[in-house]
Amino acid sequence: MEGQLGPRDSLPTLSEVVVESSTNGHLHLLHSRNANSLNPSSEKTKGKWETLVLAYKTLGVVFGGLVTSPLYVYPSMPLRSPTEGDYLGIFSIMFWTLTLIGVVKYVSIALKADDQGEGGTFALYSLLCRNMNIGFLSPKNVSSNSGISRSVLHEGTETKTRLGKFFEKSIVARRVLLFIAMLGMCMLIGDGILTPAISVLSAMDGVRAPFPSVSKSLVEALSAVLLIVLFLLQKFGTSRVSFLFSPIMGAWTFSTPLVGIYSIIHHYPSIFKALSPHYIVHFFLRNGKEGWLLLGGTVLCITGESHVQLLSSIQIAFLFTIYPSLVLTYAGQTAYLIRHPNDHDDGFYKFIPEAIYWPIFIIATSAAIVASQSLISATFSVIKQSVVLDYFPRVKVVHTSSRKEGEVYSPEINYILMVLCVAVILIFGDGKDIGNAFGVVVSLVMLITTILLTLVMILIWRTPSILVALYFLVFFTMEGVYVSAVFTKIPEGGWIPFAISFFLAFIMFGWFYGRQRKIEYEFTHKINLERLGILLSDPGVQRAPGLCFFYTNIQDGLTPVLGHYIKNMRSLHKVTIFTTLRYLLVPKVALAERIVINKLGLRGVYGCVIQYGYADSLNLEGHDFVNEVTDFLKEHIQNLSGCISSNPTEIKEDNSDLEDAKRSGVVHIRGKTRFYMGNNCGWFDRIILAFYEVLHNNCRSSLPAFGVPLPQRIEVGMLYEA
């Protein structure tokens, strides 16, 4: 149906009525309600007080994993008889890692590359695809009204860089880029497994210091029980308790540096001399390979950088609370360990003064739970985005809050995460093994972000080459060294995220490949309007009473399932609306711009495009959905009356047909297609498509996402030849 929607770059605007000439000579009127809510200039500048409040709220949402890292950084390091110089070198490495990667890379650069407030590796990939024709999701799927003007959307496409032209021409390069983005998403899901495990286990380990008789196995069991309870509570959402998250993380963020300051004064006041980078040089010269291997533990000090929103509040929260808190906490831990060099296996709780031990333990455990919750919620969000983009099999996604669009919950994913989290704790209870696995996730996500940010600088920002080269050389080299160190830990627990990510990536690739093959078949065998007219002109084909929503995956034609349906059922409903879900490479589409209606030139036959972004919800109730579409359709028919070539009698009949059809009943039809493996099918297709069929047969139907009642759903089976 996109052939009737306009030229390659979609509609010029959706805020006005547009009349275009189609290939069959009929005039088609495209209609959508007027809305300016997607204009970025409508976003109001936030006041200083509101920005500070938002900065405070980010403590419990964005930085949970990062700010709790002191719980497990030192215990994750395989230190052997460390000296004062070793500890000064380690602190210097952590300080400069937090400064360069945290302050310079993330806060100063990465936050500016957000995709209309959405962050993460996929947002960077989406930003690249939306500005350049380098993805499998073409820029033609982005309408000019979807939050960015056409001039901005296609900025630079007329004067493409050499790298941009290379990506457009090379299918291999585009596949590699897609794989990198998928790997980043899979690693974030792995983070959602490892962060709860290592945070809660490290926090609960604090009971062993005052009670030496408590075994490590008991701590692991208590941690597992706590996590099981946390996962079982996910279905209730976090709205009722989310107001506690920021106070808990605020208490943690402000109490640990105070303990750090006390420890510095009491144990080693000159600790800040380690800010000089020459301590790093001496550390590696003295320890050689052993020092390089210790990087697998120090990299955990920068964990937890994930989705970013609200630029100014994130910057304020990180620069004025998180960053100084972490520096002072690590300085205090290091100062204590210099005087007690063999206490590194319990590097956090050992440096807590006895008088405040239990209050800090309670705060630490609460902060670990909040950090775990933030990563679990982020995992649900990533899965939802992947499902919306057709990169992941359809799973049930429930919105647990009517006020917060992004608060979602997936039962299947929740219980899988719970099982994997508990398994990681019970099987790999040693904090060092989990730390090794965590280090792999952290370092790879950092490296992937550097690669994608470099492409954004070159292809979108057009940053001067010298600055791009400086950025890439500094951060790629630094993070490459970290990656090389953590890769040596693969046999010692580092294989866990690789196994999880490989399994998830295989699912994502198999699903994506199968969906693409189906779309290719449908494009090849699509039914055009001329063919539909011939089918309906058959005297044996009846127009049954009622309103039918016929779902199709392609936008510039009609699904081959339609021909299969008409030939076998010998009928089509009196009013049939061919409905297509249209993904736009933007986070959200305004409700007023969600639905686009056009007449397909045959009586009672219409096209409907439902547009959505990757952060949008498609959970529309069936009754409301029908009413909303029919309201748009009525407005569309009314606007037809204003056209010079319109026929008043025909318009009156269209209105009458629509009312009669709605009263007669509503039905939703979709194809239930499978692949037929013929003799010409290669071994690769046989394996991947067979795997896709397994996924497809066990995933949820797309229709329940609209809240369509079961009695109104019809599925038409058809075999597609692979």
Side-chain angles (χ1 to χ4, degrees):
M1 292 186 291
E2 193 176 340
Q4 286 74 46
L5 291 179
R8 183 181 185 276
D9 291 327
S10 186
L11 298 174
T13 83
L14 292 178
S15 59
E16 60 184 359
V17 174
V18 181
V19 179
E20 298 196 50
S21 178
S22 73
T23 56
N24 61 7
H26 293 285
L27 285 176
H28 293 292
L29 184 142
L30 311 181
H31 175 70
S32 179
R33 289 173 177 162
N34 187 13
N36 297 318
S37 57
L38 285 171
N39 191 337
S41 63
S42 64
E43 185 177 348
K44 298 180 180 179
T45 304
K46 300 183 184 300
K48 292 182 179 180
W49 176 249
E50 185 178 355
T51 301
L52 292 175
V53 171
L54 290 173
Y56 167 70
K57 290 181 178 179
T58 62
L59 295 178
V61 178
V62 179
F63 297 113
L66 175 62
V67 78
T68 55
S69 58
L71 284 169
Y72 46 77
V73 170
Y74 270 115
S76 298
M77 297 183 193
L79 295 169
R80 299 175 182 175
S81 303
T83 64
E84 177 182 335
D86 292 336
Y87 281 120
L88 291 174
I90 290 171
F91 176 64
S92 187
I93 291 171
M94 290 193 290
F95 171 79
W96 286 107
T97 298
L98 285 168
T99 302
L100 291 175
I101 296 179
V103 176
V104 177
K105 176 184 170 182
Y106 278 99
V107 174
S108 302
I109 301 175
L111 285 179
K112 297 178 181 178
D114 71 309
D115 188 20
Q116 295 183 294
E118 298 291 331
T121 55
F122 177 76
L124 291 174
Y125 176 72
S126 171
L127 197 62
L128 289 167
C129 293
R130 196 155 49 79
N131 285 268
M132 302 290 293
N133 188 21
I134 63 174
F136 291 92
L137 296 165
S138 172
K140 71 182 179 181
N141 287 339
V142 189
S143 68
S144 60
N145 64 319
S146 299
I148 298 178
S149 67
R150 288 172 66 85
S151 60
V152 176
L153 279 174
H154 301 284
E155 178 183 3
T157 54
E158 295 182 359
T159 56
K160 299 182 180 73
T161 63
R162 291 181 180 178
L163 184 61
K165 293 179 181 178
F166 168 73
F167 272 104
E168 289 188 4
K169 293 178 180 178
S170 174
I171 184 67
V172 175
R174 296 202 301 273
R175 284 176 176 172
V176 169
L177 186 62
L178 175 62
F179 173 77
I180 289 173
M182 280 187 174
L183 184 62
M185 295 172 71
C186 293
M187 285 293 173
L188 179 59
I189 296 172
D191 200 2
I193 297 170
L194 295 174
T195 292
I198 194 170
S199 298
V200 173
L201 183 62
S202 299
M204 292 297 293
D205 201 48
V207 301
R208 297 180 63 202
F211 302 107
S213 60
V214 176
S215 66
K216 196 165 185 64
S217 298
L218 181 58
V219 171
E220 293 170 8
L222 291 174
S223 302
V225 170
L226 188 59
L227 282 176
I228 290 173
V229 172
L230 178 63
F231 279 106
L232 291 178
L233 292 175
Q234 292 300 309
K235 63 181 178 181
F236 300 107
T238 58
S239 295
R240 297 179 181 178
V241 295
S242 59
F243 70 94
L244 295 173
F245 291 174
S246 293
I248 289 172
M249 298 311 296
W252 169 265
T253 303
F254 291 107
S255 63
T256 53
L258 292 177
V259 177
I261 293 172
Y262 169 82
S263 180
I264 292 168
I265 297 172
H266 190 69
H267 297 292
Y268 199 86
S270 60
I271 184 65
F272 288 108
K273 68 182 181 182
L275 301 188
S276 172
H278 86 273
Y279 282 96
I280 299 176
V281 177
H282 288 173
F283 173 78
F284 286 115
L285 290 176
R286 185 169 54 254
N287 292 284
K289 182 180 178 181
E290 292 297 322
W292 168 63
L293 294 176
L294 285 173
L295 291 176
T298 57
V299 73
L300 298 181
C301 72
I302 198 63
T303 183
E305 303 285 357
S306 57
H307 295 273
V308 293
Q309 296 181 20
L310 306 170
L311 175 61
S312 57
S313 60
I314 292 286
Q315 290 176 323
I316 291 172
F318 186 86
L319 293 176
F320 296 102
T321 58
I322 303 300
Y323 177 68
S325 173
L326 288 172
V327 170
L328 289 172
T329 302
Y330 283 124
Q333 282 184 280
T334 307
Y336 172 84
L337 291 173
I338 288 174
R339 297 298 181 220
H340 307 84
N342 296 320
D343 286 349
H344 53 81
D345 282 339
D346 191 9
F348 178 77
Y349 283 110
K350 288 286 187 181
F351 101 110
I352 303 297
E354 186 176 349
I356 58 171
Y357 187 91
W358 287 112
I360 293 295
F361 172 79
I362 293 172
I363 294 174
T365 304
S366 302
I369 293 173
V370 173
S372 302
Q373 178 61 57
S374 66
L375 264 296
I376 294 170
S377 298
T379 302
F380 291 153
S381 178
V382 168
I383 291 294
K384 179 203 169 186
Q385 291 181 12
S386 302
V387 171
V388 167
L389 295 174
D390 234 355
Y391 285 120
F392 200 83
R394 290 182 293 271
V395 294
K396 184 176 182 180
V397 176
V398 179
H399 288 259
T400 56
S401 172
S402 59
R403 293 177 299 172
K404 297 180 181 179
E405 180 68 24
E407 193 171 301
V408 295
Y409 160 73
S410 173
E412 296 98 331
I413 301 302
N414 182 64
Y415 294 120
I416 291 173
L417 287 177
M418 182 181 73
V419 171
L420 291 176
C421 256
V422 172
V424 165
I425 286 181
L426 297 182
I427 299 175
F428 306 96
D430 189 351
K432 287 185 172 59
D433 285 344
I434 301 178
N436 292 335
F438 207 10
V440 172
V441 171
V442 173
S443 57
L444 280 177
V445 170
M446 289 194 306
L447 198 63
I448 289 171
T449 304
T450 293
I451 294 171
L452 294 177
L453 268 177
T454 302
L455 292 176
V456 169
M457 289 179 177
I458 297 172
L459 299 176
I460 301 176
W461 294 348
R462 302 299 175 88
T463 306
S465 300
I466 185 67
L467 295 179
V468 175
L470 181 63
Y471 166 82
F472 185 76
L473 287 175
V474 170
F475 290 104
F476 189 82
T477 302
M478 181 179 180
E479 292 161 1
V481 172
Y482 271 124
V483 170
S484 66
V486 298
F487 270 28
T488 63
K489 306 296 184 181
I490 289 178
E492 303 169 13
W495 62 269
I496 300 173
F498 274 105
I500 295 171
S501 298
F502 178 79
F503 180 68
L504 290 172
F506 186 63
I507 290 177
M508 293 178 74
F509 178 80
W511 181 261
F512 177 74
Y513 185 80
R515 297 294 295 173
Q516 291 301 303
R517 288 297 304 271
K518 278 193 173 181
I519 291 173
E520 288 174 8
Y521 182 92
E522 290 177 345
F523 268 110
T524 305
H525 300 83
K526 65 187 177 184
I527 295 176
N528 55 28
L529 293 179
E530 183 180 358
R531 174 63 177 160
L532 177 60
I534 294 173
L535 289 171
L536 294 180
S537 64
D538 186 339
V541 176
Q542 304 296 318
R543 298 299 295 270
L547 174 62
C548 171
F549 288 86
F550 207 117
Y551 293 87
T552 174
N553 292 326
I554 53 179
Q555 297 176 4
D556 60 348
L558 300 174
T559 173
V561 176
L562 172 63
H564 182 66
Y565 174 79
I566 294 177
K567 287 179 181 179
N568 288 276
M569 301 300 294
R570 310 298 294 171
S571 68
L572 188 68
H573 286 77
K574 195 169 185 179
V575 175
T576 301
I577 303 175
F578 294 102
T579 307
T580 303
L581 304 183
R582 187 179 189 210
Y583 166 67
L584 302 180
L585 284 171
V586 293
K588 290 181 179 295
V589 176
L591 291 176
E593 302 287 354
R594 180 73 61 88
I595 297 175
V596 181
I597 294 285
N598 68 312
K599 188 173 183 179
L600 298 184
L602 299 171
R603 182 174 177 179
V605 179
Y606 302 91
C608 172
V609 178
I610 301 174
Q611 305 182 119
Y612 63 97
Y614 62 77
D616 271 324
S617 168
L618 290 179
N619 290 350
L620 304 174
E621 292 296 330
H623 183 67
D624 294 339
F625 168 66
V626 171
N627 286 336
E628 189 174 0
V629 173
T630 52
D631 287 345
F632 268 90
L633 188 51
K634 289 176 184 177
E635 290 187 25
H636 168 72
I637 295 172
Q638 279 300 121
N639 281 286
L640 275 173
S641 62
C643 296
I644 298 174
S645 60
S646 62
N647 185 335
T649 303
E650 183 180 339
I651 292 172
K652 186 176 180 180
E653 290 175 349
D654 288 341
N655 274 316
S656 177
D657 289 345
L658 180 59
E659 290 298 328
D660 291 342
K662 193 174 178 182
R663 282 194 297 267
S664 298
V666 180
V667 66
H668 299 258
I669 299 177
R670 67 180 288 267
K672 183 73 171 179
T673 58
R674 293 184 57 190
F675 282 108
Y676 171 73
M677 311 295 178
N679 295 328
N680 296 328
C681 187
W683 65 269
F684 180 80
D685 280 353
R686 288 183 180 275
I687 294 174
I688 300 298
L689 294 181
F691 179 61
Y692 167 78
E693 289 295 340
V694 172
L695 295 175
H696 188 262
N697 291 335
N698 289 280
C699 75
R700 293 178 180 267
S701 169
S702 59
L703 288 186
F706 291 95
V708 177
L710 188 62
Q712 295 181 7
R713 298 209 302 258
I714 296 176
E715 294 186 342
V716 180
M718 183 176 177
L719 292 176
Y720 286 0
E721 186 173 359

